[in-house]
Amino acid sequence: MEMKFCSSCGHGLEDRDIDGTIRRACTQCSFVHWGSYSIGVGALVVKDDKVLLVRRAQEPGKGKWTNPGGYIEQLEPIEETIRREVLEESGIEAVVRSIVALRDLPKSIHNLYVAFSMDYVSGEPTPDGFEVDAAGFYSLEEMAEMNVATFTQWLVDVALRGQSEGLTFDTNPIIPLDGYGLFRV
C-alpha cells in the first residue's frame, strides 16, 4: 500500500527523486518516507546441550517449533525486548550474551531479524497459552522428530555449532553514548 499522507503534518505526499531513488515526500514539510521496516529478535538459550523451543499456537507458523522471539517495541531497547519475549513465551529468565546471527529479508516491509545467544538464569519452560502452546529444552535428536521451522533449524545450528562468540554488548564504551545499544566484537 502506498503512503498518501505525511505522518508528520498530514499533508499529501508526492513522488520525488531523493539521492537517485524515487521516494514519497511531503509537499509541505521536510518529511520523507524512507520505507517500511520491522525488527524481529530471537533467542538461542542452551541448557545442558539442549535448545529452548516453543510451539506456535498462532499464525504465522502455527504448530511449528521455533525459538522464542518477537518484534521490538518503538521505545524498548533491543536487549530488553529479547529478555521480555523469552520470559513471556516460555517462562524462562535468560540474559543476553551476544548477537550470533542476522537475517535480512527485503520485502514490502523490510525485516531484519537479530538472533541472540542467551544464558539461562532460571525457570521451567511454561508456554504462555496464547502465542505458544508448548515449551521445552530439546536436543538435536529430539528435534529430528519435531516439526521445527526451517529458519529455526538454521538458528539451532548456529547455537550448537557456531564458530564465533558473536557481537557482545559493550557495557563500557570509550565514549558514553546515552540511549545507544552498542555491540562489538
Side-chain angles (χ1 to χ4, degrees):
M1 174 187 285
E2 181 179 275
M3 284 193 63
K4 295 182 189 258
F5 299 98
C6 178
S7 62
S8 245
C9 73
H11 283 89
L13 298 179
E14 65 183 4
D15 287 338
R16 196 180 303 153
D17 184 322
I18 299 176
D19 297 329
T21 300
I22 301 298
R23 301 194 185 277
R24 300 293 287 164
C26 185
T27 58
Q28 299 295 313
C29 74
S30 61
F31 175 81
V32 175
H33 178 65
W34 295 102
S36 297
Y37 305 89
S38 67
I39 303 170
V41 295
L44 300 171
V45 183
V46 179
K47 179 182 174 195
D48 301 325
D49 295 322
K50 295 183 175 191
V51 179
L52 178 64
L53 296 179
V54 296
R55 188 173 59 203
R56 305 290 313 151
Q58 302 176 353
E59 296 296 348
K62 183 176 182 177
K64 292 189 182 270
W65 288 89
T66 66
N67 54 297
Y71 291 98
I72 66 169
E73 298 292 339
Q74 185 69 39
L75 299 176
E76 184 178 43
I78 198 168
E79 68 274 10
E80 288 180 25
T81 299
I82 193 56
R83 287 193 340 254
R84 174 184 54 77
E85 287 287 352
V86 170
L87 186 60
E88 285 176 4
E89 290 186 2
S90 70
I92 296 296
E93 186 177 339
V95 294
V96 170
R97 181 175 349 133
S98 62
I99 294 173
V100 293
L102 296 174
R103 180 198 67 203
D104 180 33
L105 187 58
K107 293 173 37 173
S108 61
I109 298 176
H110 194 134
N111 178 255
L112 179 68
Y113 185 93
V114 182
F116 289 87
S117 173
M118 299 183 75
D119 291 324
Y120 169 84
V121 174
S122 65
E124 290 299 318
T126 307
D128 69 4
F130 178 67
E131 286 185 71
V132 301
D133 60 13
F137 286 94
Y138 299 96
S139 68
L140 285 173
E141 293 77 23
E142 291 168 313
M143 285 182 229
E145 302 299 318
M146 299 164 62
N147 186 18
V148 178
T150 54
F151 180 56
T152 299
Q153 292 175 35
W154 181 76
L155 288 171
V156 166
D157 184 69
V158 169
L160 296 178
R161 298 185 182 119
Q163 303 297 311
S164 163
E165 289 300 312
L167 299 175
T168 59
F169 189 65
D170 190 348
T171 58
N172 192 24
I174 62 166
I175 298 171
L177 296 166
D178 292 338
Y180 282 59
L182 302 171
F183 292 81
R184 65 184 296 158
V185 176

